[in-house]
């Protein structure tokens, strides 16, 4: 009996990727994220949902210290990834962002070729020393982003010339190319049509096997389709967090229920 408990505990421990404790974020006088604590699993998709302005994106940006780049923004509390404090003095935020990649709402390829968009990160992080190594990383990342077959014959063409959905997959390939463990996605499908959205959702489902994916979405249907756990935010607070199926079928907090039934938000 004891052994079973231990096995369960070890299993739980090995699955934990990100642990946030009492995270608060202020922009000047605005208290955007209020005392948020949450544990996020490895190799899993976790969705952040909630009405506009509830702090989902702000909290997401805490996970790779992207808020450090905003002058008025103050973050307090603890965030550990693989049990390492991401605010420790020895953590270089640029390295952290390579390990915790980010994909934004609007596809934002660099004004460079498809190849160079993906090669850029590995080059600046010293992951590729030779042309052959770079090509290998580019191909691997484009394959993982389910884009290789569509672009392999035109790697020198500009990334900005691709369709919206292809551009977003290029941005995912760019994030993957620096060998991250975590992929943060801030409404990655909101600028895409339903076909491109379905392709990205399918891709996220594949990526889950190798990465910890955290996605902010306005679409509850999307959260229900792709995530294993869901966090519902409201007015800066994390109101409820748990298995996605449970959150959508039997939420514990009336605010969650009001949101998923369309009464707020
Ligand atoms: N750069 C910023 N400077 C000042 N205030 C900001 C900034 N970014 C966000 N805020 C404020 O912080 C609060 C949370 O915003 P945030 O963008 O995190 O919410 P959200 O839930 O992601 O919203 P949405 O779904 O509309 O993107 C809001 O009141 C917003 O106005």
């Amino acid at each position: 009996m004891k052994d079973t408990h231990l096995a369960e505990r070890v299993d739980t421990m090995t699955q934990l990727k990100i642990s946030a404790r009492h995270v608060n974020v202020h922009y000047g006088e605005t208290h955007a994220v209020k005392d948020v604590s949450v544990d996020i699993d490895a190799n899993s998709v976790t969705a952040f949902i909630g009405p506009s302005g509830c702090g989902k994106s702000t909290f997401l940006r805490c996970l790779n210290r992207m808020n450090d780049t905003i002058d008025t923004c103050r973050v307090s509390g603890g965030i550990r990834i693989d049990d390492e404090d991401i605010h420790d003095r020895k953590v270089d935020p640029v390295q952290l962002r390579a390990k915790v990649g980010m994909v934004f709402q609007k596809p934002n390829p660099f004004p460079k070729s498809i190849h160079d968009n993906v090669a850029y990160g590995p080059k600046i992080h010293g992951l590729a020393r030779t042309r052959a190594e770079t090509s290998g990383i580019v191909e691997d990342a484009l394959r993982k982003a389910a884009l290789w077959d569509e672009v392999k014959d035109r790697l020198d063409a500009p990334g900005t010339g691709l369709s919206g959905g292809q551009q977003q997959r290029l941005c995912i390939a760019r994030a993957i190319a620096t060998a991250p463990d975590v992929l943060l996605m801030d409404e990655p499908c909101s600028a895409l049509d339903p076909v491109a959205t379905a392709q990205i959702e399918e891709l996220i489902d594949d990526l889950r096997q190798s990465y910890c994916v955290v996605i902010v979405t306005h679409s509850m249907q999307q959260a229900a389709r792709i995530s294993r756990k869901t966090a519902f935010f409201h007015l800066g607070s994390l109101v409820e967090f748990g298995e996605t199926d449970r959150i959508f079928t039997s939420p514990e907090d009336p605010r969650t229920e009001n949101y998923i039934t369309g009464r707020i938000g």
Side-chain angles (χ1 to χ4, degrees), residues 27 30 32-33 50-59 61 70 72 105 186-187 216 218:
Y27 296 101
T30 307
V33 170
S52 191
C54 67
K56 309 175 293 287
S57 300
T58 298
F59 182 67
R61 287 197 302 269
I70 302 172
T72 56
Q105 192 168 353
D186 196 351
E187 297 182 50
V216 167
H218 269 125

Side-chain angles (χ1 to χ4, degrees), residues 169-182:
R169 279 179 281 146
L170 179 63
C171 293
I172 292 171
R174 186 175 67 189
I176 287 173
T178 57
D181 300 324
V182 181

Side-chain angles (χ1 to χ4, degrees), residues 47-67:
F48 291 173
I49 63 167
S52 191
C54 67
K56 309 175 293 287
S57 300
T58 298
F59 182 67
L60 188 79
R61 287 197 302 269
C62 290
L63 304 179
N64 69 350
R65 291 182 51 183
M66 207 67 149
N67 290 317

Side-chain angles (χ1 to χ4, degrees), residues 177-250:
T178 57
D181 300 324
V182 181
L183 283 174
L184 307 178
M185 299 185 159
D186 196 351
E187 297 182 50
C189 303
S190 65
L192 306 180
D193 64 36
V195 172
T197 295
Q199 284 174 325
I200 299 280
E201 287 186 5
E202 205 175 302
L203 170 58
I204 291 171
D205 196 49
D206 291 341
L207 295 173
R208 161 178 68 83
Q209 293 164 32
S210 315
Y211 304 93
C212 164
V213 179
V214 188
I215 178 169
V216 167
T217 177
H218 269 125
S219 159
M220 285 182 273
Q221 290 82 357
Q222 180 168 71
R225 281 193 297 267
I226 65 174
S227 69
R228 194 156 71 82
K229 287 191 179 169
T230 292
F232 170 65
F233 288 79
H234 188 237
L235 301 175
S237 300
L238 174 54
V239 169
E240 192 161 348
F241 178 60
E243 300 288 333
T244 297
D245 287 350
R246 187 196 58 74
I247 295 278
F248 285 108
T249 52
S250 48

